[in-house]
Amino acid sequence: MSEEFEPNIVAFLCNWCSYAGADLAGTSRMHYLPNVKIIRVMCSGRVNPLFLLNALQQGADGVLISGCHPGDCHYLEGNYYARRRFMLMHKLLEHVGVDPGRVNMSWVSASEGAKFADVVKETVEKAKAAGPMDQFRRRQLNW
Amino acid sequence: MVDTKRLQEKAKEVLIRDDVRRLIGWKRGTYGFEAAPTVITDASQVDQLIFDATCVQNPASFISLEEKKPVPRGAEPDTRKIAVMVKGCDSRAIVQQLVEKAYGRDDVIVLGIPCRGVIDRRKAMKMFGDVTPGNVSLNGDKVAVEVGGEKKEVERGELLMDKCMRCRYPNPLVSDDLLGEEVEKWADDEFADVDEFEKMVPEEKWKYWEEQFSKCIRCYSCRNVCPMCYCVECVVTKMKPQWTRRSTDISENTAYHIQRAWHLAGRCIECNECQRVCPVDIPIMTLNRKLTRDVKDMFEYEPGVDAEAEPLLACYNPQDPEEYIM
Amino acid sequence: MVENNRPKIGVYICHCGINIGSVVDVPAVVEYASKLPGVAVSREYTYMCSDPGQNLVKDDITNEKLNRVIVASCSPRMHEPTFRKTLKEAGLNPYYLEMANIREQCSWVHEDKAKATEKAKKLVEAAVAKALLLEALEEKEVDVIPSCLIIGAGIAGIQAALDIADAGFKVYMVEKTPSVGGRMAQLDKTFPTLDCSACILTPKMVDVANHPNIELMTYSQLEEISGFVGNFKAKIRKKARYVDFDTCTGCGVCAENCRLAGRIPSEFDEKIGMRGAIYLPFPQAVPAKYTIDPQRCLQLTKGKCGKEGPACAAACGPGAINFEQEDEFVEIEIGTVIVSTGYDVFDCTRKPEYGWEENDNVLTGLEFERLVSASGPTGGKPILGRDKKGEGGYEPKKVAFIHCVGSRDKSVGNEYCSRVCCMYLAKQAHLIRDKLPDAEITVFYMDVRAFGKGFEEFYDRVRREGVRYVRGNPSEIYRKGDDHTLIIEVEDTLTGTPMEHEADLVVLGVGLEPRRDVREIIDLFKLSQSTDGFFLEAHPKLRPVDTASDGVYLAGCCQGPKDIPDTVAQAKAASSSALILMASGRVKVEALVSVVSPDECRGCGFCVEVCPFGAIELVEENRMGNIVQVAFVNEALCKGCGSCAAACLSGAIQPKSFKDEQILPQIAVLGVRP
Amino acid sequence: MGDYKFAKEKLAEVLSSLKDYKVFAPVAVGDVFRFLQVDDPAKVTLEFANSNVPPKELMFPETETLFKYRLGQTDIEPEVPDAGDKRLVFGIRPCDALAYTIVDNLYNWDFPDPYYQNRRENTTLVGFACADPCSNCFCPSLGGGPASEKGLDAIMFDMGDTMYVKTLTDKGEAFAKAAGLESAGDAEKKAAEKQAEEALGKIGRSIDTKGIPEHLPSLYDHPFWEQFSDRCLSCGICTFLCPTCHCFDIQDEAEGFDARRARMWDTCMFSEYTLHTSGHNPRPTRKERTRNRISHKYSYFPEKFDVIACVGCGRCINYCPVNIDILDILEKSKQAEAKEAKTA
């Protein structure tokens, strides 16, 4: 690659904490990298871990789930389920050789705009380190 | 071991009951080192039933394979019981199916069989070639096999399934009738194979799986034989939305295998059928065992041992580990 | 399902003045969007949320027959409701709207214009991908039970209760302590007007007790709350007072006769005053009913009080005392809830260097309020060091006030300003000056924040009264020798001179903190906290009294430090918010609920286990003559979180508008590396 | 045609000399054999009984793009791949070559399928006679045999150190020339014939197919199918690994807004195979599906094309995880029929 590799990150944010946190980062004009693209879901508990797999398959170089801090879920328990599922999917993907740095989760509350910016930074850095995800990327060219 | 006569009598006893629809067990295969699973509905068929070290298949898989046929108007659905013979490992499938409300405890009659291990077809053919053995018997740490008239004795480990060499449940965990003396557990599972695999760096791991998954022809045998896979419509073959494409390439094949493994997280009861049936030798259990090990370590959870347990991913503990979470 | 007519999508990119336009190349995004499948119209506008902006959409819906609308602008959390309304007014189902957040999550956070534009394009494309599969949803309404539960009877709760009750709606008021009044009742005077706190509060306290629409439950606690906006069910524990509520006349003979009279530190007096095991928190307490402290009462703890049995019972004429009394439980149904649980003052043991624990002449601001209050232990005389009988003691000659104790202080984890300390210390300085004309009064401050109405003037007046303000933040306070003189180690940061300042009374300007027992409420209502630990409002600017849970509102210091006027104002805001719901009598319930496709359901019940709201159950389904179990969703209880969908192995249960088939296309678009 | 030979150790050389061919040959991954395009001749092995996956995939790939399009696009051009390439399959077993000749019927029946035909016409088949048939081989019962030449352009015999190559067509000759094989004499020829005879003798299983095509239909509703179908997993092993099974599904696959239409292996053993949009399924249970697999091979196909769609390679028997044995079924079908006859 001539220019530096810019990883593409797909993030799933819960509406009540993390998405609001991301909005706060915006309102407070905290600059972060444009590599992260956000998909809004109502709760981190909604995130089917297969979404992560699917994103990687589509060619995302990294994925991120973010939800309310444990105990603060707007829906009481969603993030607890999300945590269990994530931990296992993380292990599973690691086992087939996906760089663990690509698969991320974070707790970001509605008041943690700054933390969201940091999370993005870290996620992008890890994905950069892991390099382009083309292990099992869907390759249109092959068609 | 189990006395065939007793097994057949028990089967007859069950089949003549008018609240029993069918019985699932094993019969002699037409060739080679594996028995054939068999479903019989009539007491007159019991003499085909056997149990020995060739009875590798998991009969619990066949409970949910039976289609629910449309019931003609006015007619009553057939709700008679299914009788099923299970080894220790097979019985965990029954337990987990009960956890997941696949059917009620009263819908099945479980005939438990204490088991000392079953033969791995692949190992056997490497050792004896493409032949059909005569009598096969287990005594102590040895397996005796009759091949071409002569009796050969080999170390248990060389011939039995790997799962048997780390079997923690040789005796059924659920059964209405135990057809034979309980046997003593001879092994434990340290997941050494998982640890070994994990020594690899990501690149090596992927290189390994890339080769394995490329072989997959997506016959879905591994899914269909799995006693835990009985969704009405499997997400893998679903069209709306299409999670995985039917087309075969490394991307879709990988996605399929990860999905399959994921859906067994906290549910796999390690009967090893998925790996046994694979026509292209994909080491499918390597994925399942990784999860089984981690589920045990992270959540102190083991599926298929307690019918009262909550499903792993339908419950949580506020203190669950979260070391990778930012 | 998508109607037979093929999707006709209108895409509208907002400049938001220069907020988006200055970073994102809006025309380029419009151009890009216009080429996407299904897109019939692609436009830009300065302010989409403005009337002309919305009309643009409406006109296109009518003229171009659009059946999907995408607005790329600010966060959907901001304007989704606005544009849903727009669609509705144009006769299109509001759920055919999809928004792309290109302001908060794009133009405001990215500097690289080219990349920001690329991202904006992708976000719009993803929105289109999803819009193609959006479904029309039906908005349901339910009745609102015309009653309100108010938790905490401080000035905030009292004000809210009176407003709602006056509007003619039922109020259930739950207060933990034996009396209403809260913190305000503990105060002596209020700044800057120096009204007597009690004098302005007590009438309201009495009104609350007597109001026909208010059911007051003091010495009571919320145990459980369930249900949803408009239809909550609450369970309240009325703790046993061991005094029959109706019989007690409040005469007080019992307290005089209590064997422990004057031996138990009084919470109301911040423990610088004493009470008995049976007590009235303070003279003006409402209701004027006595309560026995079960932790201290000899009869209740030891099962025996003196030889001849409990003196209180003997002394009580009406015979109101009843040691057999037990907690009662009341279950009520309400439509709205106001949380006004107030605050605790900073716990000075977390700042040991100020010697509050060991020195009885180092007081917190609140202790000082009691000291100088006419209803306080010393009848309002600033006397310290009295013995048990209340004899002796001395009047302080040198009084020092310390600002920002437990506020604006990272070392104790409180970065925020408590907003009231500057002024209450000024007020207290004035009160001392009033009572002890010759005393030397010094105030140590970091800044003086006199921002409110009449504050600066008051601060000025206090300084003119000969109160010395020294800019410095003491490092240590300790006792010198064995008399009660205290040394304050402090540096005058204006002159840069370190000094050892002497004082015989130090008042710590303690800040306001979330109540120690805040967790109880959080667990009951699932409220979230902001970083300072106070309850988080739904929106810092636009929904300051709402919470994330519909029908639950915040009032007073439980949401953040406030002075009395602000608290009252917020209480009125909260009460009117609750009134809006109750007056209209109807409320929309979540349209984004989960749906089950029974043919795909295998009846494993994972969703049932996962659902936090008990909204899913397994029911019998006839599948071609065979009876099978399948999941069923109670839409009134479902909140659309979608946890069920992630737990379902076959994808048979899906939350509307966030279905797998609606999210996967977004992933497909966003996943592809630019 | 001609007789040739080459030293086994020269295998790699022979293969690499076939420059103007796309060469496909058996490659081993662990114990699994499959015909892959040869990138490195060293990987090719001839030490195999038969490939797990039949070389039918070389003519009829598991997945094949028919054409690509973008959502909303109307002017679409199908693309026919491999037109004009010269391809060569090296080491194909006689049964699998015979299978091609059977499947040809299907792909030329109402109209020639260009995707399949192109490959067939451009491909040279260099067969490899079986010296050691598997225990479940029954090719002779279906007109084939360990050294059958049907459908082949050349056939090789393993003579220990050398391979004896007998060319059967011009294509075969062309291969021999291109590979620069030295010519062989009578000795090799004789030895080969002897080996073929011995191999034939080693075949352990067989079926007399006489009458089966006519009689299977009479068993349409016979319960005997259930003793097999009751343990069927509804998986695709028997059909995917069958050299004559040729069913495919056609699906559209979207990537964002770009899509392709592709055809991919399908099997009558999957329950979705005959599932109607209405939800109705004319083959609702495994009984109908098992019946269909056998009947299609042994009755419907011969009825239409006058040849049984089975070559006796034994794969469906070898790989079926639940021991559904086609020979067992066929034998039982005869008895079942007999019974019917009596009762009738």
Side-chain angles (χ1 to χ4, degrees):
Chain A
M1 276 171 291
S2 55
E3 69 193 83
E4 197 196 357
F5 161 62
E6 283 299 341
N8 182 39
I9 314 287
V10 175
F12 301 89
L13 270 51
C14 84
N15 180 63
W16 302 100
C17 291
S18 298
Y19 195 91
D23 280 351
L24 181 61
T27 345
S28 0
R29 308 295 198 282
M30 296 167 174
H31 287 143
Y32 57 79
L33 295 159
N35 308 50
V36 168
K37 308 205 177 60
I38 294 167
I39 292 176
R40 171 171 161 247
V41 290
M42 293 315 277
C43 177
S44 54
R46 165 66 183 102
V47 180
N48 185 332
L50 294 176
F51 287 161
L52 308 185
L53 170 66
N54 193 266
L56 293 171
Q57 204 188 351
Q58 298 291 358
D61 305 296
V63 288
L64 169 69
I65 306 177
S66 190
C68 310
H69 287 269
D72 296 349
C73 177
H74 175 68
Y75 301 104
L76 295 81
E77 308 169 323
N79 51 356
Y80 285 123
Y81 295 115
R83 178 170 64 184
R84 270 199 171 189
R85 296 174 187 141
F86 167 80
M87 291 298 286
L88 279 174
M89 184 48 98
H90 187 282
K91 298 267 191 191
L92 178 56
L93 289 170
E94 187 178 7
H95 205 62
V96 295
V98 174
D99 188 306
R102 300 189 191 279
V103 188
N104 304 284
M105 183 165 184
S106 64
W107 306 129
V108 173
S109 81
S111 56
E112 294 177 323
K115 181 176 178 185
F116 180 74
D118 296 343
V119 167
V120 170
K121 192 163 174 292
E122 192 175 338
T123 311
V124 173
E125 276 165 6
K126 286 201 238 156
K128 263 209 175 94
M133 168 69 196
D134 35 33
Q135 289 173 318
F136 51 86
R137 200 174 91 243
R138 277 180 174 160
R139 296 176 182 77
Q140 281 147 298
L141 301 180
N142 280 19
W143 288 2
Chain B
M1 248 359 207
V2 184
D3 161 41
T4 313
K5 273 275 139 288
R6 179 171 167 200
L7 176 126
Q8 295 177 348
E9 275 152 22
K10 188 74 216 170
K12 181 178 267 129
E13 198 179 302
V14 169
L15 274 168
I16 49 181
R17 288 170 53 170
D18 44 19
D19 64 340
V20 175
R21 177 162 81 253
R22 42 174 45 195
L23 178 141
I24 310 170
W26 301 269
K27 65 175 180 180
R28 183 69 58 222
T30 57
Y31 76 97
F33 289 87
E34 283 181 2
T38 183
V39 181
I40 59 178
T41 52
D42 191 299
S44 66
Q45 304 161 299
V46 296
D47 48 10
Q48 62 177 252
L49 295 170
I50 58 157
F51 182 80
D52 63 21
T54 65
C55 297
V56 58
Q57 297 92 347
N58 180 353
S61 306
F62 299 87
I63 300 174
S64 48
L65 275 168
E66 184 195 7
E67 298 87 358
K68 278 194 158 49
K69 299 197 187 84
V71 182
R73 257 189 212 75
E76 280 300 305
D78 186 346
T79 54
R80 289 174 299 162
K81 301 173 190 283
I82 294 184
V84 54
M85 297 183 168
V86 290
K87 309 184 286 292
C89 48
D90 307 335
S91 73
R92 290 182 61 192
I94 306 265
V95 174
Q96 191 60 21
Q97 285 168 345
L98 289 170
V99 167
E100 300 182 8
K101 307 185 176 64
Y103 46 76
R105 180 65 182 87
D106 299 341
D107 301 332
V108 286
I109 297 171
V110 184
L111 305 177
I113 298 179
C115 165
R116 299 254 241 38
V118 287
I119 289 178
D120 182 332
R121 177 188 87 231
R122 294 178 172 87
K123 289 182 183 175
M125 285 179 73
K126 270 209 164 61
M127 191 175 300
F128 304 113
D130 181 7
V131 298
T132 299
N135 211 345
V136 176
S137 59
L138 276 150
N139 24 32
D141 294 351
K142 297 259 186 293
V143 191
V145 186
E146 280 177 32
V147 182
E150 65 189 279
K151 189 167 179 185
K152 297 181 179 169
E153 246 195 5
V154 293
E155 283 301 323
R156 174 157 70 179
E158 295 171 36
L159 208 52
L160 296 192
M161 285 269 180
D162 292 349
K163 71 168 179 180
C164 305
M165 299 318 294
R166 50 173 184 249
C167 177
R168 284 160 297 148
Y169 303 102
N171 302 302
L173 293 171
V174 53
S175 78
D176 298 291
D177 240 303
L178 210 52
L179 312 178
E181 299 313 306
E182 295 218 341
V183 300
E184 220 164 287
K185 167 165 169 278
W186 61 82
D188 225 320
D189 192 349
E190 306 303 337
F191 293 93
D193 50 337
V194 180
D195 299 339
E196 192 52 39
F197 189 94
E198 285 178 332
K199 293 199 183 117
M200 289 195 259
V201 300
E203 293 70 26
E204 297 168 321
K205 287 179 184 167
W206 173 245
K207 207 179 162 304
Y208 175 83
W209 286 116
E210 188 175 27
E211 182 174 271
Q212 295 302 332
F213 292 153
S214 331
K215 291 188 295 184
C216 182
I217 57 167
R218 304 278 289 282
C219 65
Y220 295 135
S221 193
C222 48
R223 176 195 70 184
N224 296 8
V225 79
C226 178
M228 300 323 303
C229 285
Y230 51 86
C231 285
V232 188
E233 194 181 355
C234 175
V235 283
V236 169
T237 35
K238 219 176 186 177
M239 299 300 280
K240 182 177 182 240
Q242 194 173 34
W243 284 93
T244 315
R245 294 174 184 158
R246 179 65 188 81
S247 49
T248 47
D249 62 30
I250 185 61
S251 175
E252 305 306 329
N253 292 358
T254 306
Y256 163 65
H257 282 281
I258 294 177
Q259 281 188 11
R260 196 204 53 80
W262 169 253
H263 272 187
L264 285 166
R267 306 176 58 234
C268 172
I269 49 86
E270 298 167 88
C271 64
N272 192 65
E273 279 292 87
C274 48
Q275 179 158 332
R276 178 187 71 85
V277 301
C278 182
V280 291
D281 296 4
I282 299 173
I284 298 170
M285 279 302 288
T286 310
L287 292 176
N288 296 352
R289 282 183 52 75
K290 158 72 176 171
L291 286 175
T292 306
R293 203 275 314 270
D294 290 349
V295 162
K296 205 163 174 212
D297 291 358
M298 289 197 292
F299 310 118
E300 287 134 13
Y301 186 97
E302 183 173 29
V305 293
D306 170 13
E308 301 307 309
E310 275 185 289
L312 176 79
L313 292 180
C315 61
Y316 66 88
N317 171 349
Q319 271 66 52
D320 279 342
E322 53 177 35
E323 69 250 48
Y324 311 117
I325 300 181
M326 291 181 268
Chain C
M1 271 318 298
V2 177
E3 280 84 352
N4 312 343
N5 60 331
R6 319 176 87 247
K8 280 191 93 185
I9 304 174
V11 180
Y12 301 87
I13 320 288
C14 182
H15 286 259
C16 192
I18 60 161
N19 282 304
I20 294 171
S22 62
V23 179
V24 172
D25 177 352
V26 173
V29 180
V30 173
E31 167 69 10
Y32 183 80
S34 66
K35 294 191 167 41
L36 295 171
V39 174
V41 185
S42 180
R43 302 186 196 280
E44 58 191 287
Y45 192 70
T46 348
Y47 289 105
M48 281 310 298
C49 55
S50 67
D51 276 355
Q54 296 189 47
N55 291 333
L56 212 56
V57 180
K58 290 184 195 167
D59 297 345
D60 286 349
I61 292 175
T62 343
N63 305 332
E64 307 290 331
K65 305 270 173 297
L66 297 182
N67 53 20
R68 303 283 190 290
V69 172
I70 285 158
V71 180
S73 55
C74 49
S75 170
R77 291 174 55 84
M78 178 88 174
H79 270 316
E80 196 170 55
T82 317
F83 292 112
R84 285 237 165 105
K85 208 159 135 285
T86 315
L87 268 66
K88 208 167 175 184
E89 286 164 2
L92 189 59
N93 184 291
Y95 293 89
Y96 280 136
L97 169 78
E98 182 63 20
M99 289 184 74
N101 185 342
I102 60 170
R103 191 179 76 175
E104 283 84 346
Q105 295 175 10
C106 191
S107 69
W108 275 353
V109 283
H110 305 324
E111 289 156 308
D112 182 328
K113 297 187 177 181
K115 284 184 178 154
T117 306
E118 277 318 299
K119 179 173 173 179
K121 287 180 184 172
K122 277 292 174 188
L123 293 177
V124 171
E125 186 175 349
V128 171
K130 182 177 180 181
L132 288 166
L133 290 137
L134 283 175
E135 299 169 329
L137 303 187
E138 175 192 3
E139 281 174 326
K140 294 202 181 65
E141 283 192 343
V142 294
D143 294 333
V144 177
I145 298 169
S147 59
C148 180
L149 168 65
I150 298 181
I151 301 152
I155 179 58
I158 289 172
Q159 185 59 55
L162 290 173
D163 286 3
I164 293 174
D166 290 343
F169 291 92
K170 177 84 179 163
V171 174
Y172 298 93
M173 177 143 219
V174 176
E175 166 59 41
K176 218 172 185 172
T177 69
S179 170
V180 302
R183 294 291 179 199
M184 184 174 174
Q186 292 179 276
L187 306 180
D188 177 36
K189 300 269 183 308
T190 60
F191 64 79
T193 50
L194 299 175
D195 308 88
C196 152
S197 187
C199 317
I200 54 175
L201 178 64
T202 22
K204 285 180 177 291
M205 291 164 61
V206 176
D207 292 351
V208 166
N210 301 339
H211 202 297
N213 288 343
I214 301 180
E215 184 171 333
L216 183 57
M217 295 183 246
T218 52
Y219 206 52
S220 301
Q221 240 169 311
L222 180 64
E223 289 283 307
E224 290 166 19
I225 182 131
S226 62
F228 51 95
V229 57
N231 301 268
F232 294 103
K233 280 193 175 52
K235 186 173 173 199
I236 290 143
R237 173 197 293 270
K238 288 182 148 181
K239 291 179 278 181
R241 288 171 179 261
Y242 303 100
V243 174
D244 183 87
F245 192 87
D246 304 321
T247 333
C248 175
T249 61
C251 64
V253 187
C254 52
E256 290 159 20
N257 288 277
C258 175
R259 292 203 165 72
L260 297 178
R263 311 247 303 264
I264 303 168
S266 150
E267 296 79 5
F268 183 80
D269 280 335
E270 289 295 304
K271 312 216 156 118
I272 65 171
M274 297 294 174
R275 62 167 170 90
I278 183 164
Y279 66 105
L280 194 65
F282 56 101
Q284 311 93 317
V286 173
K289 306 283 182 181
Y290 279 73
T291 307
I292 295 179
D293 179 344
Q295 268 71 44
R296 310 302 297 272
C297 171
L298 300 167
Q299 182 64 24
L300 288 171
T301 50
K302 310 220 165 19
K304 157 167 207 311
C305 174
K307 286 180 200 54
E308 58 288 344
C312 53
C316 179
I321 292 164
N322 166 14
F323 290 103
E324 306 311 310
Q325 205 179 60
E326 282 178 354
D327 293 4
E328 285 174 42
F329 291 92
V330 190
E331 297 202 354
I332 56 170
E333 297 193 339
I334 57 266
T336 57
V337 180
I338 293 176
V339 178
S340 51
T341 46
Y343 64 92
D344 277 327
V345 295
F346 175 73
D347 169 11
C348 293
T349 57
R350 277 158 62 199
K351 246 180 146 26
E353 61 268 36
Y354 283 178
W356 169 78
E357 246 175 320
E358 50 273 14
N359 303 310
D360 60 5
N361 56 344
V362 177
L363 300 180
T364 68
L366 204 52
E367 287 167 346
F368 181 87
E369 290 290 334
R370 298 315 302 150
L371 181 70
V372 297
S373 162
S375 66
T378 60
K381 292 190 212 60
I383 302 173
L384 296 155
R386 300 188 310 171
D387 59 26
K388 290 234 169 338
K389 292 190 202 58
E391 318 282 308
Y394 62 93
E395 282 191 342
K397 303 267 170 300
K398 297 178 172 176
V399 187
F401 293 89
I402 318 288
H403 274 228
C404 298
V405 178
S407 311
R408 307 173 65 195
D409 181 349
K410 285 201 174 68
S411 70
V412 296
N414 295 347
E415 286 187 53
Y416 58 91
C417 163
S418 291
R419 295 176 93 250
V420 292
C421 324
C422 289
M423 294 319 291
Y424 81 64
L425 288 176
K427 175 198 72 185
Q428 292 175 343
H430 165 83
L431 294 178
I432 280 291
R433 165 62 66 241
D434 215 31
K435 295 175 191 285
L436 309 169
D438 327 325
E440 169 202 312
I441 310 176
T442 320
V443 181
F444 295 96
Y445 71 101
M446 288 206 266
D447 313 280
V448 173
R449 299 182 166 178
F451 51 84
K453 189 174 181 185
F455 288 10
E456 186 63 25
E457 299 87 323
F458 183 75
Y459 166 50
D460 225 52
R461 167 181 169 187
V462 173
R463 270 187 312 184
R464 273 189 272 101
E465 289 170 351
V467 174
R468 179 164 160 244
Y469 273 74
V470 177
R471 190 167 185 282
N473 178 353
S475 55
E476 195 183 356
I477 299 170
Y478 54 88
R479 184 175 292 259
K480 179 178 129 205
D482 35 21
D483 77 337
H484 39 68
T485 313
L486 299 160
I487 301 297
I488 304 173
E489 295 275 1
V490 60
E491 178 190 343
D492 181 333
T493 52
L494 293 181
T495 62
T497 49
M499 52 194 214
E500 296 196 338
H501 182 86
E502 283 198 357
D504 48 13
L505 168 60
V506 174
V507 181
L508 304 176
V510 287
L512 279 46
E513 285 191 326
R515 291 193 69 98
R516 315 261 183 271
D517 55 12
V518 70
R519 259 282 148 210
E520 293 174 18
I521 297 295
I522 287 177
D523 294 342
L524 280 169
F525 287 96
K526 283 297 151 196
L527 299 174
S528 20
Q529 290 168 287
S530 33
T531 31
D532 56 16
F534 291 98
F535 294 143
L536 182 68
E537 59 281 0
H539 189 286
K541 301 275 171 293
L542 303 176
R543 299 177 65 196
V545 301
D546 309 53
T547 67
S549 317
D550 298 346
V552 180
Y553 306 96
L554 301 172
C557 290
C558 63
Q559 180 259 343
K562 276 176 203 61
D563 62 5
I564 293 164
D566 287 4
T567 298
V568 171
Q570 198 185 23
K572 286 179 159 295
S575 55
S576 58
S577 305
L579 281 169
I580 292 167
L581 274 182
M582 296 189 288
S584 76
R586 308 270 299 160
V587 63
K588 286 193 173 54
V589 291
E590 191 53 72
L592 305 178
V593 294
S594 285
V595 281
V596 179
S597 137
D599 297 348
E600 295 171 38
C601 177
R602 69 177 202 164
C604 64
F606 285 8
C607 53
V608 179
E609 307 252 8
V610 165
C611 180
F613 308 103
I616 312 175
E617 57 181 328
L618 289 178
V619 298
E620 283 196 343
E621 155 100 354
N622 182 319
R623 199 176 277 159
M624 293 189 301
N626 299 290
I627 304 306
V628 293
Q629 296 272 312
V630 297
F632 171 81
V633 176
N634 175 339
E635 298 194 348
L637 291 175
C638 177
K639 297 223 186 310
C641 65
S643 281
C644 49
C648 181
L649 295 178
S650 54
I653 187 166
Q654 295 284 318
K656 292 178 180 172
S657 283
F658 292 91
K659 297 184 172 181
D660 291 346
E661 69 243 40
Q662 292 165 324
I663 292 173
L664 288 174
Q666 291 177 283
I667 300 176
V669 170
L670 298 181
V672 178
R673 197 186 307 137
Chain D
M1 291 268 166
D3 303 311
Y4 304 86
K5 63 179 177 182
F6 65 87
K8 255 201 203 160
E9 69 214 18
K10 294 258 170 62
L11 175 59
E13 279 176 47
V14 170
L15 290 166
S16 29
S17 61
L18 299 169
K19 296 239 170 344
D20 27 4
Y21 292 95
K22 261 194 197 169
V23 179
F24 300 83
V27 172
V29 179
D31 300 336
V32 177
F33 294 88
R34 195 161 180 173
F35 281 81
L36 301 175
Q37 187 170 353
V38 177
D39 45 21
D40 167 15
K43 284 205 205 126
V44 175
T45 170
L46 290 175
E47 305 307 314
F48 73 113
N50 200 355
S51 60
N52 299 51
V53 183
K56 80 171 171 188
E57 61 179 332
L58 303 180
M59 306 299 164
F60 169 38
E62 269 183 279
T63 306
E64 169 156 47
T65 305
L66 301 178
F67 55 80
K68 302 173 195 163
Y69 62 95
R70 185 172 167 82
L71 234 62
Q73 183 189 343
T74 47
D75 51 334
I76 299 163
E77 266 305 305
E79 54 195 66
V80 181
D82 301 321
D85 313 2
K86 266 174 82 185
R87 306 158 94 244
L88 183 141
V89 183
F90 184 89
I92 183 174
R93 291 299 188 181
C95 51
D96 292 333
L98 179 60
Y100 287 148
T101 66
I102 295 170
V103 178
D104 288 346
N105 294 296
L106 188 278
Y107 282 107
N108 285 301
W109 155 56
D110 43 3
F111 65 87
D113 178 298
Y115 301 86
Y116 177 91
Q117 273 309 321
N118 269 321
R119 301 200 181 91
R120 272 293 272 147
E121 282 155 15
N122 306 338
T123 309
T124 304
L125 299 179
V126 178
F128 183 20
C130 300
D132 273 302
C134 313
S135 63
N136 288 322
C137 289
F138 57 103
C139 39
S141 306
L142 290 131
S148 158
E149 299 174 355
K150 290 187 188 144
L152 290 170
D153 299 301
I155 183 163
M156 305 185 286
F157 291 81
D158 187 337
M159 308 270 88
D161 300 342
T162 63
M163 297 291 286
Y164 162 65
V165 183
K166 178 178 174 194
T167 60
L168 308 161
T169 67
D170 301 345
K171 275 183 176 176
E173 275 297 313
F175 149 72
K177 297 271 168 306
L181 305 181
E182 50 188 290
S183 52
D186 257 7
E188 285 86 2
K189 200 170 176 158
K190 288 267 171 305
E193 278 157 11
K194 184 160 171 297
Q195 186 199 67
E197 221 157 291
E198 286 167 10
L200 196 54
K202 291 184 192 162
I203 295 284
R205 307 188 65 179
S206 67
I207 177 75
D208 176 2
T209 63
K210 201 167 139 305
I212 293 181
E214 298 70 24
H215 296 312
L216 275 179
S218 69
L219 303 178
Y220 195 79
D221 291 320
H222 198 288
F224 98 102
W225 296 109
E226 283 158 24
Q227 56 186 285
F228 303 97
S229 63
D230 273 347
R231 65 175 184 267
C232 175
L233 301 174
S234 295
C235 78
I237 291 180
C238 50
T239 45
F240 285 179
L241 298 188
C242 173
T244 69
C245 274
H246 47 258
C247 289
F248 57 78
D249 187 13
I250 292 184
Q251 292 189 10
D252 283 22
E253 297 177 338
E255 181 84 66
F257 296 118
D258 296 307
R260 71 159 171 179
R261 180 158 300 170
R263 79 171 163 195
M264 47 214 64
W265 288 1
D266 198 356
T267 160
C268 55
M269 303 314 285
F270 287 168
S271 57
E272 307 91 53
Y273 183 79
T274 47
L275 182 62
H276 295 184
T277 330
S278 66
H280 169 66
N281 194 336
R283 293 186 203 142
T285 75
R286 293 166 296 163
K287 175 187 177 180
E288 295 80 12
R289 301 195 280 270
T290 307
R291 179 184 65 205
N292 182 76
R293 176 168 75 95
I294 307 301
S295 302
H296 186 250
K297 294 189 166 310
Y298 277 81
S299 180
Y300 311 155
F301 199 92
E303 188 185 324
K304 190 171 187 59
F305 299 116
D306 201 30
V307 55
I308 290 174
C310 171
V311 293
C313 70
R315 284 191 181 91
C316 58
I317 305 174
N318 291 332
Y319 297 108
C320 178
V322 292
N323 187 232
I324 296 176
D325 184 326
I326 191 168
L327 292 176
D328 192 19
I329 299 178
L330 292 169
E331 287 304 341
K332 292 267 185 357
S333 76
K334 293 181 171 177
Q335 301 161 17
E337 198 223 350
K339 243 198 260 117
E340 293 297 283
K342 271 199 206 77
T343 53

